[in-house]
């Protein structure tokens, strides 16, 4: 009797597990339509290519391309994704009516931003328009504010380095420096209090568990992962709430005052030099105040972390290669003299070596695949004849583009900081071999602002400090699955002797 009951109790959970895995295998087996790009075979059921994709990304994707060509599909976290290498990749950008952007799967923007339904087309259109017309195009209008707050930020976050100071949180510091001018341009100097700047700079870092949870439940069903990620929000934990409160407390009274002044002074109302003024002029602003606060959050998500990441990577690229500092310092000194220490757009354009350095640093972001897009039309047929269905996620094989020997020479893997100096290829220029800012109609409209702000921050830092890595070597980026973040190692700042 006891023999049977022990065996029964062991048999029961194991057999349930086995039956569950068999059912999972059958129902989640990838189904490939006719004429699709080659599907790379895999050995481990259910897991598919997930392990190789996450752990051996560079080698795995390279081998797939060599064997299966310019577009191929793999099975990762219970989903088929298509990888588009160099020529197919540019098609995705060009045919923007067939493709839409996807938010990183792990971030439930639609639950975080209820007034705008997250990254809706309407929000993207609005943000693209103001970025293009009111931010990038007005760099010189905002130049005094940008200069002032970059200097303030450097004083606060790097400060006086009479002896060498080692920072192990350079990205956080650069993020705060980059956020200061952006926040001041967006909401004006009066509203951009310490708390507000802090909220705009750091809210995306507070998403914590919502971003950290790998989509393991997608093996069962993608909706299950989506549900688990949104569960904390459904249960009342929304990491945005406290930041939203800070923003509203700071901009609310200023908006109210400006709206009153507009009523009283009519045509004599004097608009302020900030983006809040643009928001106020929207015909539906009063009725959709919370919607516009959402758009502001979403804009800073794409603007601050990306720019500070580029700046931090460039600092580490420079710190690990001090042999290039002399040339950059001499260029910085010369141009700074010419403009009496206040570079405008025309002066930033003259910083050819710095521009080339920043572009080379962006080329070496070291992400293998990135920029997911989703097929929104019924299907899409690549010019190589392969068709992918509606709903399919396509990821760009960025390494294939950015380290292409055809475009960057036999030594494309090397860091060649001044290779763009005598070309007409500035860091903001998008071409078939440089898609760091995307491409086509939806290419990043903030790239002019981002590059100029990055250059201005680096210009001021190069003039003020000697910068080296603490290791004395070129430090590796932090690799998390298929994405890379700036190194976490030490960066040393030391005042230059005047
Ligand atoms: C180095 C910094 C930056 C990088 C690497 C970057 C990268 C990108 C990329 C790759 C895209 C296209 C995404 C896609 O095709 O799905 C994009 C779009 C966009 N970026 Fe940036 N970005 C940066 C800075 C900025 C800044 C500073 C702003 C705003 C001030 C901004 C605003 C936008 C907007 C509004 C879009 C959407 C455009 C559209 O949908 O038409 N970006 N960015």
């Amino acid at each position: 009797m006891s023999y049977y009951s022990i065996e029964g109790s062991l048999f029961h959970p194991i057999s349930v597990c086995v039956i569950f895995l068999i059912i999972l295998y059958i129902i989640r087996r990838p189904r490939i339509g006719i004429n699709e790009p080659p599907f790379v075979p895999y050995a481990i059921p259910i897991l598919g290519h997930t392990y190789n994709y996450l752990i051996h990304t560079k080698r795995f994707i390279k081998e797939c391309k060599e064997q299966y060509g310019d577009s191929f599909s793999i099975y990762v976290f219970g989903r088929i994704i298509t990888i588009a290498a160099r020529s197919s990749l540019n098609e995705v950008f060009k045919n923007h009516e067939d493709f839409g952007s996807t938010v990183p799967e792990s971030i439930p923007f639609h639950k975080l931003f209820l007034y705008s339904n997250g990254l809706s087309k309407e929000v993207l259109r609005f943000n693209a328009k103001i970025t293009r017309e009111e931010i990038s195009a007005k760099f010189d209008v905002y130049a005094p504010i940008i200069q002032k707050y970059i200097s303030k930020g450097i004083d606060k976050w790097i400060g006086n380095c009479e002896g060498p100071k080692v920072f192990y949180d350079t990205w956080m510091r650069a993020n705060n420096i980059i956020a200061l001018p952006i926040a001041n341009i967006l909401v004006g100097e009066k509203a951009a209090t310490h708390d507000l700047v802090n909220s705009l700079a750091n809210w995306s870092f507070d998403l914590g568990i919502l971003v950290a949870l790998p989509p393991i439940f997608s093996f069962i069903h993608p909706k299950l992962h989506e549900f688990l990620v949104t569960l904390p929000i459904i249960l009342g934990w929304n990491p945005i709430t406290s930041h939203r409160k800070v923003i509203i407390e700071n901009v609310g009274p200023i908006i109210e005052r400006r709206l009153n002044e507009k009523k009283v002074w009519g045509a004599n109302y004097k608009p302020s030099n900030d983006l809040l003024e643009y928001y106020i002029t929207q015909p539906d602003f009063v009725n959709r105040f919370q919607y516009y606060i959402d758009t502001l959050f979403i804009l800073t998500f794409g603007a601050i972390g990306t720019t500070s990441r580029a700046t931090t990577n460039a600092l580490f690229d420079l710190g690990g290669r001090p042999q290039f500092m002399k040339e950059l310092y001499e260029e910085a000194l010369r141009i700074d003299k010419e403009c009496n220490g206040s570079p405008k757009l025309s002066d930033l354009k003259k910083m050819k070596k710095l521009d080339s350095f920043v572009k080379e640093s962006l080329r070496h972001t070291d992400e293998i695949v990135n920029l997911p897009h989703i097929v929104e039309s019924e299907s899409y047929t690549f010019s190589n004849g392969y068709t992918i269905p509606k709903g399919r996620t396509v990821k760009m094989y960025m390494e294939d583009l950015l380290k292409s020997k055809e475009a960057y020479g036999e030594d494309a893997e090397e860091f060649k900081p001044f290779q763009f100096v005598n070309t007409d290829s500035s860091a903001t220029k998008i071409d078939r071999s440089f898609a760091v800012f995307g491409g086509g109609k939806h290419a990043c409209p903030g790239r002019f602002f981002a590059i100029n702000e990055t250059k201005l921050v680096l210009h001021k830092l190069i003039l003020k400090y000697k910068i080296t890595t603490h290791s004395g070597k070129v430090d590796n980026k932090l690799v998390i699955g298929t994405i890379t973040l700036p190194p976490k190692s030490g960066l040393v700042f030391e005042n230059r002797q005047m």
Side-chain angles (χ1 to χ4, degrees):
M1 174 73 185
S2 66
Y3 170 80
Y4 284 111
S5 65
I6 288 169
E7 196 183 45
S9 66
L10 273 177
F11 178 73
H12 185 63
I14 291 171
S15 57
V16 168
C17 257
V18 170
I19 291 168
F20 174 73
L21 286 174
I22 291 171
I23 293 174
L24 195 60
Y25 171 69
I26 293 168
I27 60 171
R28 302 291 300 142
R29 216 164 22 156
R31 288 173 182 81
I32 305 291
I34 44 164
N35 209 27
E36 284 213 25
F39 183 71
V40 179
Y42 58 85
I44 313 169
I46 300 168
L47 272 188
H49 304 102
T50 311
Y51 177 79
N52 278 332
Y53 176 73
L54 288 184
I55 308 297
H56 303 299
T57 322
K58 189 177 169 101
R59 198 184 68 209
F60 171 62
I61 300 290
K62 185 168 182 270
E63 285 172 1
C64 289
K65 190 203 159 187
E66 279 163 7
Q67 213 171 336
Y68 298 98
D70 216 53
S71 51
F72 53 88
S73 296
I74 55 178
Y75 190 58
V76 175
F77 285 121
R79 282 186 321 150
I80 302 170
I81 57 174
T82 296
I83 305 288
R86 202 162 167 222
S87 49
S88 306
L89 181 159
N90 282 300
E91 278 185 48
V92 175
F93 292 133
K94 226 166 88 192
N95 294 289
H96 57 86
E97 308 88 3
D98 293 306
F99 293 92
S101 268
T102 63
V103 194
E105 292 102 43
S106 47
I107 310 179
F109 264 62
H110 59 294
K111 293 276 181 200
L112 291 170
F113 299 108
L114 295 174
Y115 301 95
S116 60
N117 195 23
L119 278 191
S120 63
K121 292 248 184 252
E122 187 191 1
V123 173
L124 280 176
R125 249 195 316 272
F126 179 75
N127 278 348
K129 183 176 158 62
I130 56 170
T131 300
R132 195 176 308 111
E133 294 170 9
E134 303 294 321
I135 301 178
S136 276
K138 291 192 174 169
F139 193 86
D140 260 349
V141 176
Y142 294 127
I145 294 176
I146 299 171
Q147 306 254 9
K148 175 174 161 187
Y149 286 99
I150 286 179
S151 296
K152 275 194 169 200
I154 291 176
D155 285 347
K156 178 165 179 194
W157 294 101
I158 311 283
N160 183 6
C161 303
E162 254 163 40
K165 266 193 207 167
V166 190
F167 296 116
Y168 288 91
D169 52 0
T170 311
W171 190 14
M172 185 279 285
R173 286 170 193 276
N175 197 57
N176 285 314
I177 296 170
I178 291 289
L180 252 181
I182 294 185
N184 277 277
I185 289 171
L186 289 179
V187 301
E189 289 183 85
K190 286 214 175 87
T193 60
H194 168 80
D195 287 348
L196 179 137
V197 176
N198 195 35
S199 275
L200 287 186
N202 295 313
W203 71 263
S204 54
F205 291 98
D206 290 350
L207 297 182
I209 188 171
L210 302 185
V211 187
L213 188 71
I216 40 175
F217 292 96
S218 294
F219 285 122
I220 301 172
H221 199 283
K223 289 273 172 226
L224 182 58
H225 172 73
E226 218 178 286
F227 171 72
L228 288 171
V229 168
T230 52
L231 196 59
I233 305 174
I234 294 166
L235 295 175
W237 180 76
N238 184 335
I240 305 301
T241 309
S242 59
H243 296 297
R244 178 182 283 276
K245 200 167 158 246
V246 171
I247 308 291
I248 290 174
E249 270 170 14
N250 284 282
V251 299
I254 289 170
I255 290 172
E256 211 168 300
R257 205 196 61 218
R258 288 190 193 175
L259 288 174
N260 272 334
E261 286 175 359
K262 268 184 123 178
K263 242 189 233 158
V264 175
W265 295 342
N268 293 326
Y269 171 76
K270 264 184 116 182
S272 303
N273 186 21
D274 56 52
L275 232 105
L276 207 51
E277 207 63 53
Y278 181 82
Y279 284 89
I280 293 174
T281 56
Q282 299 306 301
D284 55 354
F285 178 75
V286 176
N287 295 334
R288 294 179 85 196
F289 173 67
Q290 294 288 359
Y291 165 82
Y292 284 103
I293 296 291
D294 275 8
T295 66
L296 184 70
F297 269 110
I298 292 167
L299 182 64
T300 56
F301 178 80
I304 297 176
T306 48
T307 309
S308 64
R309 178 177 172 231
T311 307
T312 313
N313 280 336
L315 283 173
F316 273 95
D317 284 330
L318 182 58
R321 299 172 179 88
Q323 68 271 28
F324 301 123
M325 185 57 124
K326 188 167 173 282
E327 280 189 64
L328 289 171
Y329 180 60
E330 283 170 1
E331 181 184 78
L333 260 188
R334 180 172 51 79
I335 294 169
D336 212 58
K337 245 190 209 157
E338 284 171 21
C339 64
N340 289 325
S342 302
K344 293 207 187 63
L345 198 56
S346 53
D347 305 300
L348 288 167
K349 274 197 184 132
K350 288 185 211 159
M351 298 177 188
K352 299 273 185 211
K353 287 185 181 167
L354 184 59
D355 194 87
S356 176
F357 193 95
V358 171
K359 181 162 187 170
E360 185 65 350
S361 179
L362 287 167
R363 190 174 79 84
H364 283 267
T365 305
D366 289 348
E367 260 167 11
I368 312 296
V369 290
N370 195 358
L371 298 185
H373 281 66
I374 191 159
V375 182
E376 286 186 342
S377 50
E378 270 319 302
S379 64
Y380 176 77
T381 303
F382 286 104
S383 56
N384 59 17
Y386 292 130
T387 299
I388 47 176
K390 185 175 184 162
R392 169 69 51 82
T393 296
V394 181
K395 287 197 179 182
M396 316 296 193
Y397 184 6
M398 296 299 278
E399 170 106 340
D400 195 43
L401 198 80
L402 295 171
K403 302 287 170 64
S404 140
K405 288 189 176 148
E406 263 172 58
Y408 299 105
E410 279 305 307
D411 56 352
E413 293 277 340
E414 298 296 312
F415 192 91
K416 302 181 282 179
F418 303 130
Q419 66 166 312
F420 304 110
V421 171
N422 292 318
T423 66
D424 71 341
S425 182
S426 69
T428 52
K429 189 171 179 188
I430 289 168
D431 61 41
R432 291 180 61 79
S433 307
F434 191 72
V436 166
F437 293 107
K441 187 167 181 257
H442 293 291
C444 176
R447 63 190 187 277
F448 305 101
F449 183 88
I451 292 295
N452 285 319
E453 192 185 12
T454 300
K455 281 169 73 177
L456 204 45
V457 171
L458 293 174
H459 172 76
K460 289 189 185 288
L461 290 174
I462 288 169
L463 282 176
K464 203 165 174 184
Y465 306 102
K466 283 191 262 173
I467 303 161
T468 48
T469 53
H470 193 229
S471 66
K473 296 185 290 200
V474 177
D475 289 332
N476 288 330
K477 302 206 165 55
L478 199 65
V479 179
I480 303 178
T482 62
I483 61 161
T484 66
L485 301 177
K488 266 294 214 183
S489 43
L491 201 60
V492 187
F493 289 78
E494 188 176 3
N495 288 356
R496 283 187 181 279
Q497 306 301 329
M498 292 299 166

